[in-house]
Amino acid sequence: MLNIIICVVLAYSQTTNSQQHLNQIHNNNTDLQIFEILIVAPNNNSLIIVENPHILITFYQKECPYSAQFIEYELNKLQEDGNKFNVTFGLYDVAKTEFHTHQSMNKFGIVETPTIIFFQNEVPHVFSGKKKSHIVSKWIQEFFNGNPPPKEIFTESEFNQLLEDNKNVLFYQKNSTSTFDINFDKFYQFAIQNTIPEIVFAFSSQYQKNNLFSLKYYKQETKEEFTFNYQFNLEYIKKFVLKYSLPLIPQLNSKTEELVFQSNSFSFILFYGLDEISKQAELAFQEVAKTFNNSYQFSKLNIQDENYLEYIIDLGVNDGIIPKIVTINGQFKYKYDGPDFSVTGIKSLIFKLKQGQIDSYILSEPIPDYTHKNSYVKKIVGLNYDDEIKKSNKNILLKYHVKNCELCVELESIYEQLAYNYREDKSLVIAEIDIRLNDFTDAYYPRQTPDIILFLQKNGKRQAIFWNFEEMTLDLIQIFVENNIHQVNQ
Ligand SMILES: *[C@@H]1O[C@H](CO)[C@@H](O)[C@H](O)[C@H]1NC(C)=O
Ligand SMILES: *[C@@H]1O[C@H](CO)[C@@H](O)[C@H](O)[C@H]1NC(C)=O
Ligand SMILES: *[C@@H]1O[C@H](CO)[C@@H](O)[C@H](O)[C@H]1NC(C)=O
Ligand SMILES: *[C@@H]1O[C@H](CO)[C@@H](O)[C@H](O)[C@H]1NC(C)=O
Ligand SMILES: *[C@@H]1O[C@H](CO)[C@@H](O)[C@H](O)[C@H]1NC(C)=O
């Protein structure tokens, strides 16, 4: 199968020079010392690989200019980095006749030279990127960062072993003859940046297990396999992997957040404590999740979790009632406080949600008592956004902010001063809203925090003008207001 080894020829070559160089590597021992490169051959490759737990072997052909070039220019630089990690370097001449009959080498599937293989504790990893020293170097680094790049599988037995040894395997099927494969690049990139523990990444071009160019997820626990059927991008791969690598009901946390809040359908979150009803609810929730596992997302959070408070504030359900189920569907949120947390009770909740029989709630701070004013800035909340902003017949300057954002905090006193300056102007309302604590629907949304939009009444119609200066200073906000209000009144 591997009788022909392609010699990749670059546009330019320095054959004579490189030829000499290679000859020197073989014939001149002084050079060997300088390079500290081990000559690997069929008679001693096994031993060398065992003796060197981290060895990078370059498989080359003497007559191939690109091989020579790689050795001459890239390997040199690579060695400097390699020494930091205690990596040894080897050279293997595949042109030697023995190579073709040598099974243990053949299995690496060397179809072109140079081919770079890094053996970590005897396990081979074939380098598949651009053969430049800094790229190879970065690749090697990842092994030492405890984040090894995907493993190449060569035979069926290796594949079976892989599934036996690992709980979660993400496997990409390559086409052995195609060197350009954009999906593989995406898979590879994802694997290297992966932040999800307990997943092993592997691929194969030599051994064909699946349809070419396919990505599959293998789950050891249930012996299930799932095929990735979405557009090949990092985000979708992440969602796919998350879904199957997580338990049926994962804890709500920063890793699962995206899956929970951006589900395509109903996403149910159980907030629970240590009381009896909570325990019962947890068991029933588990049962229900089994039934609906393919349709909906389930997650849970215990009152003792360090992020508990943050999430219930974010969701606007910080009312002390526990257990409770919060359901998210797109921009709509639903709250269930019981009383029935049995399997039937939860199923009936799901049924009613599907029938549209439950009203969503609006995330909102309480409506302020405007008669007791302690600020010239009018505080708007989710519950009165429509009345105060959309249906108002006044001009409104609205500031969007969140708690603890540095720029928002800086802007606070400036904005208060501005509101004070305009306190006599009955046609203009200076208002603000915390967008983390309040939901609203409008055609106009802030583009960042803090942000400012000026809503103007023009011939009975509402017009929105977005903040268009860099810095939010008192002078600039005043200029922004004056310019726009006067334009309208002209
Ligand atoms: C090895 O190479 C060095 C430097 O190129 C040269 O000075 C030396 O004579 C060579 N040694 C042999 C044994 O060819
Ligand atoms: C491996 O064997 C080859 C060929 O016999 C020899 O040239 C080379 O020096 C050996 N390598 C080592 C590290 O012993
Ligand atoms: C480098 O590797 C050798 C043998 O593989 C080992 O004996 C030595 O302790 C290692 N050194 C460091 C700094 O890791
Ligand atoms: C594998 O890749 C080669 C080269 O790109 C292509 O000609 C061949 O059709 C591919 N095989 C399949 C089954 O797609
Ligand atoms: C998920 O649901 C399917 C049926 O839709 C079922 O076969 C499978 O066992 C369930 N998985 C778990 C982990 O409960």
Side-chain angles (χ1 to χ4, degrees):
M1 162 174 135
L2 289 167
N3 289 330
I4 308 158
I5 295 175
I6 304 162
C7 171
V8 177
V9 183
L10 283 192
Y12 84 101
S13 75
Q14 302 183 323
T15 319
T16 13
N17 204 350
S18 314
Q19 194 74 43
Q20 271 170 11
H21 193 80
L22 279 181
N23 287 340
Q24 273 174 13
I25 289 171
H26 282 280
N27 306 330
N28 188 326
N29 275 324
T30 335
D31 261 352
L32 263 182
Q33 288 307 310
I34 295 165
F35 276 91
E36 290 181 290
I37 288 184
L38 302 176
I39 300 300
V40 186
N43 62 304
N44 57 16
N45 74 73
S46 304
L47 188 66
I48 290 176
I49 291 168
V50 171
E51 280 176 349
N52 296 279
H54 304 293
I55 182 165
L56 186 96
I57 301 182
T58 303
F59 296 78
Y60 73 102
Q61 280 161 294
K62 260 189 181 173
E63 54 284 354
C64 183
Y66 188 22
S67 287
Q69 210 175 307
F70 179 79
I71 293 166
E72 187 169 357
Y73 299 110
E74 306 298 338
L75 209 51
N76 239 334
K77 286 185 244 163
L78 198 54
Q79 274 190 294
E80 286 168 23
D81 287 341
N83 288 337
K84 283 195 300 232
F85 299 113
N86 207 3
V87 169
T88 28
F89 290 82
L91 276 179
Y92 193 117
D93 184 356
V94 300
K96 292 236 160 75
T97 50
E98 304 95 307
F99 180 80
H100 297 282
T101 53
H102 201 281
Q103 280 308 311
S104 68
M105 280 294 161
N106 244 349
K107 75 167 190 176
F108 303 130
I110 293 164
V111 291
E112 60 173 46
T113 59
T115 287
I116 303 160
I117 303 184
F118 181 61
F119 293 85
Q120 188 184 36
N121 302 317
E122 299 168 54
V123 178
H125 301 273
V126 182
F127 177 72
S128 61
K130 203 166 171 197
K131 285 156 191 151
K132 286 280 168 199
S133 62
H134 66 279
I135 298 175
V136 182
S137 173
K138 197 156 174 279
W139 178 71
I140 298 175
Q141 259 175 51
E142 292 299 335
F143 288 92
F144 293 93
N145 293 344
N147 195 12
K151 183 180 158 81
E152 179 152 18
I153 300 295
F154 299 96
T155 63
E156 181 171 9
S157 65
E158 277 182 51
F159 181 82
N160 293 336
Q161 193 66 44
L162 178 80
L163 295 197
E164 208 167 288
D165 292 348
N166 300 289
K167 274 188 171 163
N168 303 289
V169 173
L170 192 69
F171 178 76
Y172 186 81
Q173 184 68 57
K174 273 186 98 170
N175 170 353
S176 65
T177 47
S178 146
T179 45
F180 182 75
D181 181 346
I182 194 158
N183 289 356
F184 176 72
D185 293 346
K186 286 279 185 302
F187 159 77
Y188 201 90
Q189 222 178 319
F190 177 75
I192 285 184
Q193 298 169 4
N194 168 53
T195 52
I196 306 161
E198 288 186 26
I199 293 180
V200 168
F201 298 89
F203 67 98
S204 182
S205 49
Q206 300 306 303
Y207 164 62
Q208 192 179 340
K209 165 75 181 166
N210 300 324
N211 292 335
L212 295 181
F213 314 112
S214 68
L215 183 64
K216 277 194 186 225
Y217 186 88
Y218 292 87
K219 193 165 185 164
Q220 190 191 55
E221 195 184 354
T222 51
K223 297 243 178 299
E224 283 171 299
E225 56 179 78
F226 305 96
T227 307
F228 180 75
N229 285 324
Y230 312 92
Q231 200 188 330
F232 250 95
N233 65 40
L234 297 186
E235 190 196 329
Y236 288 165
I237 300 177
K238 183 176 174 190
K239 272 195 179 176
F240 172 74
V241 171
L242 262 177
K243 176 144 181 73
Y244 295 113
S245 64
L246 291 170
L248 187 58
I249 306 181
Q251 290 285 328
L252 175 58
N253 57 38
S254 58
K255 283 198 178 130
T256 58
E257 217 177 66
E258 201 179 325
L259 199 68
V260 172
F261 293 130
Q262 291 169 32
S263 156
N264 302 327
S265 184
F266 289 120
S267 176
F268 299 95
I269 312 166
L270 173 70
F271 291 96
Y272 65 108
L274 302 167
D275 55 299
E276 275 312 309
I277 303 174
S278 281
K279 278 181 195 158
Q280 195 191 66
E282 213 189 331
L283 286 176
F285 200 61
Q286 179 85 18
E287 279 309 304
V288 175
K290 275 185 196 162
T291 317
F292 293 102
N293 72 28
N294 291 324
S295 326
Y296 308 130
Q297 181 62 50
F298 294 85
S299 59
K300 61 182 178 182
L301 194 63
N302 189 283
I303 194 170
Q304 289 178 314
D305 190 281
E306 55 177 336
N307 298 316
Y308 181 82
L309 194 62
E310 193 180 330
Y311 281 117
I312 58 170
I313 289 175
D314 265 3
L315 287 167
V317 292
N318 185 15
D319 51 18
I321 302 171
I322 211 164
K324 75 162 83 254
I325 294 173
V326 172
T327 309
I328 301 167
N329 187 14
Q331 57 172 310
F332 297 106
K333 299 186 184 72
Y334 308 85
K335 186 165 69 162
Y336 180 72
D337 293 328
D340 189 356
F341 282 100
S342 68
V343 172
T344 341
I346 298 173
K347 279 189 175 169
S348 131
L349 165 71
I350 295 178
F351 179 78
K352 284 184 193 153
L353 281 165
K354 275 160 72 178
Q355 301 294 313
Q357 291 171 7
I358 295 183
D359 289 334
S360 62
Y361 71 87
I362 292 174
L363 174 61
S364 178
E365 295 174 277
I367 295 179
D369 178 359
Y370 293 121
T371 54
H372 278 80
K373 80 192 222 178
N374 49 13
S375 161
Y376 289 96
V377 179
K378 183 165 191 172
K379 183 173 166 175
I380 308 296
V381 297
L383 286 169
N384 67 6
Y385 184 92
D386 282 5
D387 289 338
E388 299 292 340
I389 303 294
K390 279 160 88 174
K391 294 179 193 158
S392 166
N393 53 10
K394 291 185 176 167
N395 295 327
I396 305 160
L397 186 74
L398 183 58
K399 167 168 78 85
Y400 304 85
H401 65 106
V402 293
K403 219 180 188 169
N404 299 333
C405 109
E406 211 176 298
L407 288 175
C408 303
V409 174
E410 279 174 26
L411 187 57
E412 251 168 51
S413 58
I414 293 173
Y415 205 70
E416 187 62 47
Q417 179 64 47
L418 182 88
Y420 178 80
N421 294 354
Y422 280 104
R423 68 193 183 280
E424 306 291 347
D425 187 341
K426 299 296 172 216
S427 72
L428 179 67
V429 180
I430 307 285
E432 66 178 12
I433 185 166
D434 184 319
I435 56 168
R436 194 181 139 207
L437 303 178
N438 300 284
D439 275 347
F440 58 92
T441 48
D442 201 335
Y444 310 102
Y445 285 99
R447 303 151 296 179
Q448 72 224 356
T449 46
D451 201 359
I452 290 176
I453 299 179
L454 179 62
F455 293 103
L456 295 174
Q457 295 300 327
K458 196 178 179 185
N459 308 327
K461 269 187 155 173
R462 192 166 68 125
Q463 188 190 3
I465 297 167
F466 284 83
W467 174 254
N468 52 13
F469 292 103
E470 281 273 312
E471 224 185 325
M472 289 179 179
T473 62
L474 183 59
D475 284 352
L476 285 177
I477 302 175
Q478 241 160 243
I479 289 170
F480 174 71
V481 171
E482 293 303 319
N483 282 353
N484 288 303
I485 285 186
H486 291 141
Q487 259 174 26
V488 165
N489 293 341
Q490 269 166 19

